[in-house]
């Protein structure tokens, strides 16, 4: 999600001898040397958590017509239902840094996965629209806190692998999104055609995601937002301690420095022009003051960009299958088309963060994604059934604004606490901005009797998304702007 933008000086590789000693000075809580199984378990937890961050939404999108019929929902109420995810993300996401400071990020994510499992298991059987919405909100609360903490956990535990780990996390998120869209309808048919069973089965995946986080519940190894504790962070994973090889062993990627200023232990060699500090056996504790994040123009631009791309994403996840079904596409095929849109994020979610960390300005990527979105909406308006697969692909590319936004969160802040604040602000504010979008689409659909006006609305929103994305992609940090 994120790569630290570094100057030419700080991108200079630390000599091997210093890297090695620095790596060995980093310890797990209690002073023991970092263990490989801990890092593998953490990677597994990140991947399984990412797989669970969207099935609650896309499985519902695939069965929205059946759920509406079963619960007696109008188009406006269904629009409200598709607005619940950004509402929950805005309300509960802002609580994540505070919860992480108190209980530890691992414990909060573990609780989040448990909330997802519980909500998904009970919502089909809660009885009535109100119960369905309440159980959905419980699951989305777990998704919200995990959404915010994933970028922070990646930066804290993998400071020199930010681009690569962000790509892995984003790929898993896209895969879970596409998987739920593709197989929910076939699995529902296999289970007897009951939409309740088709939605409830995804609780099992969330239960599996709880398990890797259990060892982290009692350790407060990653309490982002309170200041990263060097002694709590294990050595970076990889063959060479401190090195960040790119593809096929190339040099470190831009922004994935071997010793970032915000995470380097006190004994590492300082950047040129700085005075060497005395050697210390204890890693440096990062003491970063809380930022006045609302004073940063970049933070606002990133929040608005996040909100507009979230609007497009949740309209796509909630309504695109219905658009195709109304155009005469069978329900199973419509689910597959939604899955194609979502699965485009699997390869691109790995490529885009790595590409973004190599560029001084992410504006060109923003514009390319926006053009794909405009082309996809035009196709949905002119020939939704005839070119369905092409429009699904184009909108899938456009939806990759999400991993780009997460990447820019890490690139627009220098420190771990800065990333925690920016992540919470951008996501909470962004999700607040996105709340009216899916609801308005449902209202326009119900009152116009077609998809012309909703598609025109989404096309119009793509223009400001491109504009603020270019502003958010400029090479600057919120620490500089908020401190002015």
């Amino acid at each position: 999600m994120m790569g630290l933008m570094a100057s030419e000086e700080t991108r200079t590789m630390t000599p091997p001898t210093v890297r090695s000693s620095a790596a060995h000075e980093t310890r797990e809580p209690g002073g023991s040397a970092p263990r490989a199984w801990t890092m593998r378990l953490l990677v597994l937890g990140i991947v399984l958590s990412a797989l669970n961050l969207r099935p609650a939404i896309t499985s519902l999108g695939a069965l929205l017509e059946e759920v509406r019929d079963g619960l007696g929902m109008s188009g406006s109420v269904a629009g409200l239902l598709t607005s619940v995810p950004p509402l929950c993300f805005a309300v509960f996401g802002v609580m994540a840094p505070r919860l992480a400071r108190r209980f530890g990020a691992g414990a909060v994510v573990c609780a989040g996965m448990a909330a997802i499992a519980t909500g998904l298991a009970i919502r089909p059987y809660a009885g009535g629209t109100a119960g369905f919405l309440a159980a959905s909100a419980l699951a989305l609360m777990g998704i919200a806190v995990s959404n915010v903490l994933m970028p922070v956990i990646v930066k804290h535990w993998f400071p020199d692998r930010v681009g690569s780990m962000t790509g892995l996390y984003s790929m898993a998120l896209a895969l879970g999104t596409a998987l739920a869209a593709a197989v929910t309808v076939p699995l529902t048919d296999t289970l007897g055609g009951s939409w309740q069973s088709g939605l409830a089965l995804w609780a099992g995946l969330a239960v599996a995601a709880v398990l890797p986080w259990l060892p982290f519940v009692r350790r407060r190894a990653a309490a982002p937002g309170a200041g990263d504790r060097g002694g709590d962070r294990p050595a970076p994973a990889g063959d060479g301690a401190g090195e960040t090889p790119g593809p096929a062993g190339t040099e470190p990627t831009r922004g994935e420095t071997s010793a970032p200023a915000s995470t380097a232990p006190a004994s590492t060699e300082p950047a040129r022009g700085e005075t060497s500090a005395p050697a210390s056996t204890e890693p440096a504790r990062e003491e970063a003051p809380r930022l006045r994040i609302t004073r940063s123009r970049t933070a606002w631009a990133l929040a608005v960009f996040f909100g507009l791309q979230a609007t497009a994403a949740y309209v796509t996840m909630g309504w695109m299958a219905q658009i195709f079904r109304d155009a005469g596409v069978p329900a199973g095929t419509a689910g597959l088309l939604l899955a194609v849109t979502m699965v485009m994020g699997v390869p691109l979610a790995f490529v885009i963060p790595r590409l973004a960390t190599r560029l001084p300005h992410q504006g060109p990527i923003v514009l390319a994604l926006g053009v794909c979105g405009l082309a996809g909406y035009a196709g949905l308006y002119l020939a939704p059934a005839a070119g369905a697969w092409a429009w699904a692909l184009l909108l899938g590319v456009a939806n990759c604004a999400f991993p780009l936004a997460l990447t820019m969160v890490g690139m627009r802040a220098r420190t771990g606490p800065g990333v925690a604040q920016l992540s919470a602000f951008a996501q909470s504010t962004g999700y607040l901005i996105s709340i009216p979008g899916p609801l308005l689409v449902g209202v326009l659909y119900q009152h116009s009797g077609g998809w012309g006006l909703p598609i025109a609305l989404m096309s119009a929103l793509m223009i400001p998304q491109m504009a603020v994305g270019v502003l958010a992609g400029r090479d600057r940090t919120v620490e500089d702007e908020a401190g002015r």
Side-chain angles (χ1 to χ4, degrees), residues 235-262:
D239 295 332
E243 288 191 14
T244 310
T250 58
E251 289 188 3
T253 61
R254 179 177 177 86
E256 295 180 7
T257 58
S258 58
S262 63

PDB file of all heavy atoms in Angstrom, residues 235-262:
ATOM      1  N   ALA A 235      13.254  -8.554  12.873  1.00  0.00           N
ATOM      2  CA  ALA A 235      14.076  -8.231  11.713  1.00  0.00           C
ATOM      3  C   ALA A 235      13.297  -8.459  10.448  1.00  0.00           C
ATOM      4  O   ALA A 235      12.478  -9.341  10.362  1.00  0.00           O
ATOM      5  CB  ALA A 235      15.336  -9.103  11.716  1.00  0.00           C
ATOM      6  N   PRO A 236      13.563  -7.648   9.409  1.00  0.00           N
ATOM      7  CA  PRO A 236      12.853  -7.817   8.165  1.00  0.00           C
ATOM      8  C   PRO A 236      13.067  -9.191   7.582  1.00  0.00           C
ATOM      9  O   PRO A 236      14.139  -9.766   7.668  1.00  0.00           O
ATOM     10  CB  PRO A 236      13.468  -6.731   7.254  1.00  0.00           C
ATOM     11  CG  PRO A 236      14.072  -5.729   8.199  1.00  0.00           C
ATOM     12  CD  PRO A 236      14.480  -6.501   9.384  1.00  0.00           C
ATOM     13  N   ALA A 237      11.997  -9.706   6.980  1.00  0.00           N
ATOM     14  CA  ALA A 237      12.099 -11.004   6.352  1.00  0.00           C
ATOM     15  C   ALA A 237      12.895 -10.890   5.077  1.00  0.00           C
ATOM     16  O   ALA A 237      12.865  -9.909   4.390  1.00  0.00           O
ATOM     17  CB  ALA A 237      10.702 -11.547   6.044  1.00  0.00           C
ATOM     18  N   GLY A 238      13.613 -11.923   4.731  1.00  0.00           N
ATOM     19  CA  GLY A 238      14.366 -11.932   3.487  1.00  0.00           C
ATOM     20  C   GLY A 238      15.712 -12.568   3.686  1.00  0.00           C
ATOM     21  O   GLY A 238      16.166 -12.831   4.779  1.00  0.00           O
ATOM     22  N   ASP A 239      16.425 -12.788   2.585  1.00  0.00           N
ATOM     23  CA  ASP A 239      17.710 -13.431   2.655  1.00  0.00           C
ATOM     24  C   ASP A 239      18.760 -12.512   3.241  1.00  0.00           C
ATOM     25  O   ASP A 239      19.592 -12.917   4.035  1.00  0.00           O
ATOM     26  CB  ASP A 239      18.129 -13.904   1.255  1.00  0.00           C
ATOM     27  CG  ASP A 239      17.218 -14.975   0.732  1.00  0.00           C
ATOM     28  OD1 ASP A 239      16.637 -15.717   1.538  1.00  0.00           O
ATOM     29  OD2 ASP A 239      17.080 -15.077  -0.488  1.00  0.00           O
ATOM     30  N   GLY A 240      18.771 -11.281   2.800  1.00  0.00           N
ATOM     31  CA  GLY A 240      19.750 -10.336   3.301  1.00  0.00           C
ATOM     32  C   GLY A 240      19.092  -9.374   4.241  1.00  0.00           C
ATOM     33  O   GLY A 240      18.201  -8.648   3.882  1.00  0.00           O
ATOM     34  N   ALA A 241      19.548  -9.344   5.474  1.00  0.00           N
ATOM     35  CA  ALA A 241      18.920  -8.458   6.446  1.00  0.00           C
ATOM     36  C   ALA A 241      19.079  -7.034   6.006  1.00  0.00           C
ATOM     37  O   ALA A 241      20.146  -6.517   5.810  1.00  0.00           O
ATOM     38  CB  ALA A 241      19.565  -8.664   7.818  1.00  0.00           C
ATOM     39  N   GLY A 242      17.970  -6.339   5.880  1.00  0.00           N
ATOM     40  CA  GLY A 242      18.006  -4.938   5.500  1.00  0.00           C
ATOM     41  C   GLY A 242      17.937  -4.699   4.028  1.00  0.00           C
ATOM     42  O   GLY A 242      17.698  -3.597   3.603  1.00  0.00           O
ATOM     43  N   GLU A 243      18.189  -5.686   3.173  1.00  0.00           N
ATOM     44  CA  GLU A 243      18.124  -5.471   1.744  1.00  0.00           C
ATOM     45  C   GLU A 243      16.711  -5.680   1.241  1.00  0.00           C
ATOM     46  O   GLU A 243      15.960  -6.470   1.786  1.00  0.00           O
ATOM     47  CB  GLU A 243      19.068  -6.436   1.013  1.00  0.00           C
ATOM     48  CG  GLU A 243      20.530  -6.090   1.200  1.00  0.00           C
ATOM     49  CD  GLU A 243      21.398  -6.902   0.261  1.00  0.00           C
ATOM     50  OE1 GLU A 243      20.860  -7.497  -0.672  1.00  0.00           O
ATOM     51  OE2 GLU A 243      22.598  -6.918   0.485  1.00  0.00           O
ATOM     52  N   THR A 244      16.352  -4.959   0.189  1.00  0.00           N
ATOM     53  CA  THR A 244      15.039  -5.085  -0.419  1.00  0.00           C
ATOM     54  C   THR A 244      15.208  -5.343  -1.898  1.00  0.00           C
ATOM     55  O   THR A 244      15.159  -4.440  -2.699  1.00  0.00           O
ATOM     56  CB  THR A 244      14.216  -3.806  -0.216  1.00  0.00           C
ATOM     57  OG1 THR A 244      14.264  -3.464   1.160  1.00  0.00           O
ATOM     58  CG2 THR A 244      12.788  -4.000  -0.630  1.00  0.00           C
ATOM     59  N   PRO A 245      15.468  -6.582  -2.312  1.00  0.00           N
ATOM     60  CA  PRO A 245      15.649  -6.831  -3.718  1.00  0.00           C
ATOM     61  C   PRO A 245      14.363  -6.648  -4.467  1.00  0.00           C
ATOM     62  O   PRO A 245      13.294  -6.988  -3.997  1.00  0.00           O
ATOM     63  CB  PRO A 245      16.094  -8.298  -3.761  1.00  0.00           C
ATOM     64  CG  PRO A 245      15.590  -8.879  -2.500  1.00  0.00           C
ATOM     65  CD  PRO A 245      15.558  -7.790  -1.505  1.00  0.00           C
ATOM     66  N   GLY A 246      14.456  -6.083  -5.655  1.00  0.00           N
ATOM     67  CA  GLY A 246      13.311  -5.976  -6.536  1.00  0.00           C
ATOM     68  C   GLY A 246      13.162  -7.267  -7.298  1.00  0.00           C
ATOM     69  O   GLY A 246      13.737  -8.289  -6.958  1.00  0.00           O
ATOM     70  N   PRO A 247      12.373  -7.255  -8.376  1.00  0.00           N
ATOM     71  CA  PRO A 247      12.191  -8.452  -9.151  1.00  0.00           C
ATOM     72  C   PRO A 247      13.512  -8.985  -9.670  1.00  0.00           C
ATOM     73  O   PRO A 247      14.356  -8.245 -10.152  1.00  0.00           O
ATOM     74  CB  PRO A 247      11.282  -7.987 -10.302  1.00  0.00           C
ATOM     75  CG  PRO A 247      10.605  -6.762  -9.763  1.00  0.00           C
ATOM     76  CD  PRO A 247      11.576  -6.143  -8.860  1.00  0.00           C
ATOM     77  N   ALA A 248      13.677 -10.291  -9.572  1.00  0.00           N
ATOM     78  CA  ALA A 248      14.862 -10.971 -10.085  1.00  0.00           C
ATOM     79  C   ALA A 248      16.146 -10.413  -9.499  1.00  0.00           C
ATOM     80  O   ALA A 248      17.187 -10.349 -10.134  1.00  0.00           O
ATOM     81  CB  ALA A 248      14.915 -10.911 -11.599  1.00  0.00           C
ATOM     82  N   GLY A 249      16.079  -9.986  -8.242  1.00  0.00           N
ATOM     83  CA  GLY A 249      17.285  -9.546  -7.557  1.00  0.00           C
ATOM     84  C   GLY A 249      17.785  -8.197  -7.952  1.00  0.00           C
ATOM     85  O   GLY A 249      18.944  -7.871  -7.768  1.00  0.00           O
ATOM     86  N   THR A 250      16.952  -7.334  -8.511  1.00  0.00           N
ATOM     87  CA  THR A 250      17.376  -6.005  -8.869  1.00  0.00           C
ATOM     88  C   THR A 250      17.568  -5.164  -7.633  1.00  0.00           C
ATOM     89  O   THR A 250      17.297  -5.584  -6.515  1.00  0.00           O
ATOM     90  CB  THR A 250      16.335  -5.339  -9.791  1.00  0.00           C
ATOM     91  OG1 THR A 250      15.090  -5.333  -9.101  1.00  0.00           O
ATOM     92  CG2 THR A 250      16.214  -6.092 -11.092  1.00  0.00           C
ATOM     93  N   GLU A 251      17.969  -3.915  -7.813  1.00  0.00           N
ATOM     94  CA  GLU A 251      18.211  -3.046  -6.684  1.00  0.00           C
ATOM     95  C   GLU A 251      16.913  -2.720  -5.964  1.00  0.00           C
ATOM     96  O   GLU A 251      15.841  -2.902  -6.506  1.00  0.00           O
ATOM     97  CB  GLU A 251      18.886  -1.748  -7.156  1.00  0.00           C
ATOM     98  CG  GLU A 251      20.318  -1.971  -7.593  1.00  0.00           C
ATOM     99  CD  GLU A 251      21.002  -0.662  -7.863  1.00  0.00           C
ATOM    100  OE1 GLU A 251      20.381   0.394  -7.661  1.00  0.00           O
ATOM    101  OE2 GLU A 251      22.150  -0.695  -8.260  1.00  0.00           O
ATOM    102  N   PRO A 252      16.998  -2.212  -4.742  1.00  0.00           N
ATOM    103  CA  PRO A 252      15.783  -1.913  -4.001  1.00  0.00           C
ATOM    104  C   PRO A 252      14.901  -0.957  -4.769  1.00  0.00           C
ATOM    105  O   PRO A 252      15.381  -0.057  -5.436  1.00  0.00           O
ATOM    106  CB  PRO A 252      16.301  -1.269  -2.695  1.00  0.00           C
ATOM    107  CG  PRO A 252      17.711  -1.750  -2.572  1.00  0.00           C
ATOM    108  CD  PRO A 252      18.210  -1.938  -3.968  1.00  0.00           C
ATOM    109  N   THR A 253      13.595  -1.126  -4.608  1.00  0.00           N
ATOM    110  CA  THR A 253      12.665  -0.243  -5.286  1.00  0.00           C
ATOM    111  C   THR A 253      12.668   1.114  -4.624  1.00  0.00           C
ATOM    112  O   THR A 253      12.967   1.265  -3.454  1.00  0.00           O
ATOM    113  CB  THR A 253      11.238  -0.822  -5.213  1.00  0.00           C
ATOM    114  OG1 THR A 253      10.878  -0.927  -3.847  1.00  0.00           O
ATOM    115  CG2 THR A 253      11.159  -2.163  -5.889  1.00  0.00           C
ATOM    116  N   ARG A 254      12.284   2.111  -5.428  1.00  0.00           N
ATOM    117  CA  ARG A 254      12.210   3.461  -4.882  1.00  0.00           C
ATOM    118  C   ARG A 254      11.168   3.488  -3.782  1.00  0.00           C
ATOM    119  O   ARG A 254      10.022   3.123  -3.973  1.00  0.00           O
ATOM    120  CB  ARG A 254      11.804   4.449  -5.982  1.00  0.00           C
ATOM    121  CG  ARG A 254      11.687   5.882  -5.472  1.00  0.00           C
ATOM    122  CD  ARG A 254      11.349   6.792  -6.642  1.00  0.00           C
ATOM    123  NE  ARG A 254      11.148   8.156  -6.195  1.00  0.00           N
ATOM    124  CZ  ARG A 254      12.100   9.047  -6.042  1.00  0.00           C
ATOM    125  NH1 ARG A 254      13.340   8.716  -6.316  1.00  0.00           N
ATOM    126  NH2 ARG A 254      11.834  10.269  -5.646  1.00  0.00           N
ATOM    127  N   GLY A 255      11.565   3.966  -2.598  1.00  0.00           N
ATOM    128  CA  GLY A 255      10.628   4.025  -1.492  1.00  0.00           C
ATOM    129  C   GLY A 255      10.723   2.831  -0.579  1.00  0.00           C
ATOM    130  O   GLY A 255      10.163   2.835   0.486  1.00  0.00           O
ATOM    131  N   GLU A 256      11.449   1.742  -0.980  1.00  0.00           N
ATOM    132  CA  GLU A 256      11.619   0.598  -0.084  1.00  0.00           C
ATOM    133  C   GLU A 256      13.070   0.582   0.365  1.00  0.00           C
ATOM    134  O   GLU A 256      13.886  -0.198  -0.090  1.00  0.00           O
ATOM    135  CB  GLU A 256      11.243  -0.704  -0.787  1.00  0.00           C
ATOM    136  CG  GLU A 256       9.777  -0.744  -1.150  1.00  0.00           C
ATOM    137  CD  GLU A 256       9.410  -2.015  -1.849  1.00  0.00           C
ATOM    138  OE1 GLU A 256      10.263  -2.920  -1.927  1.00  0.00           O
ATOM    139  OE2 GLU A 256       8.295  -2.131  -2.328  1.00  0.00           O
ATOM    140  N   THR A 257      13.426   1.510   1.222  1.00  0.00           N
ATOM    141  CA  THR A 257      14.806   1.696   1.583  1.00  0.00           C
ATOM    142  C   THR A 257      15.253   0.631   2.553  1.00  0.00           C
ATOM    143  O   THR A 257      14.480   0.076   3.311  1.00  0.00           O
ATOM    144  CB  THR A 257      15.003   3.077   2.240  1.00  0.00           C
ATOM    145  OG1 THR A 257      14.159   3.148   3.360  1.00  0.00           O
ATOM    146  CG2 THR A 257      14.663   4.196   1.268  1.00  0.00           C
ATOM    147  N   SER A 258      16.561   0.388   2.568  1.00  0.00           N
ATOM    148  CA  SER A 258      17.074  -0.642   3.445  1.00  0.00           C
ATOM    149  C   SER A 258      17.073  -0.197   4.895  1.00  0.00           C
ATOM    150  O   SER A 258      17.026  -0.996   5.790  1.00  0.00           O
ATOM    151  CB  SER A 258      18.498  -1.018   3.034  1.00  0.00           C
ATOM    152  OG  SER A 258      19.326   0.121   3.077  1.00  0.00           O
ATOM    153  N   ALA A 259      17.119   1.084   5.146  1.00  0.00           N
ATOM    154  CA  ALA A 259      17.088   1.577   6.521  1.00  0.00           C
ATOM    155  C   ALA A 259      16.322   2.866   6.570  1.00  0.00           C
ATOM    156  O   ALA A 259      16.868   3.936   6.622  1.00  0.00           O
ATOM    157  CB  ALA A 259      18.532   1.785   7.030  1.00  0.00           C
ATOM    158  N   PRO A 260      15.014   2.831   6.560  1.00  0.00           N
ATOM    159  CA  PRO A 260      14.216   4.045   6.570  1.00  0.00           C
ATOM    160  C   PRO A 260      14.466   4.848   7.823  1.00  0.00           C
ATOM    161  O   PRO A 260      14.685   4.315   8.907  1.00  0.00           O
ATOM    162  CB  PRO A 260      12.769   3.523   6.543  1.00  0.00           C
ATOM    163  CG  PRO A 260      12.877   2.097   6.083  1.00  0.00           C
ATOM    164  CD  PRO A 260      14.185   1.633   6.514  1.00  0.00           C
ATOM    165  N   ALA A 261      14.391   6.161   7.668  1.00  0.00           N
ATOM    166  CA  ALA A 261      14.679   7.020   8.803  1.00  0.00           C
ATOM    167  C   ALA A 261      13.732   6.778   9.948  1.00  0.00           C
ATOM    168  O   ALA A 261      14.073   6.928  11.096  1.00  0.00           O
ATOM    169  CB  ALA A 261      14.617   8.490   8.367  1.00  0.00           C
ATOM    170  N   SER A 262      12.507   6.386   9.633  1.00  0.00           N
ATOM    171  CA  SER A 262      11.516   6.221  10.688  1.00  0.00           C
ATOM    172  C   SER A 262      11.572   4.890  11.366  1.00  0.00           C
ATOM    173  O   SER A 262      10.930   4.702  12.369  1.00  0.00           O
ATOM    174  CB  SER A 262      10.111   6.425  10.097  1.00  0.00           C
ATOM    175  OG  SER A 262       9.867   5.444   9.130  1.00  0.00           O
TER     176      SER A 262
END
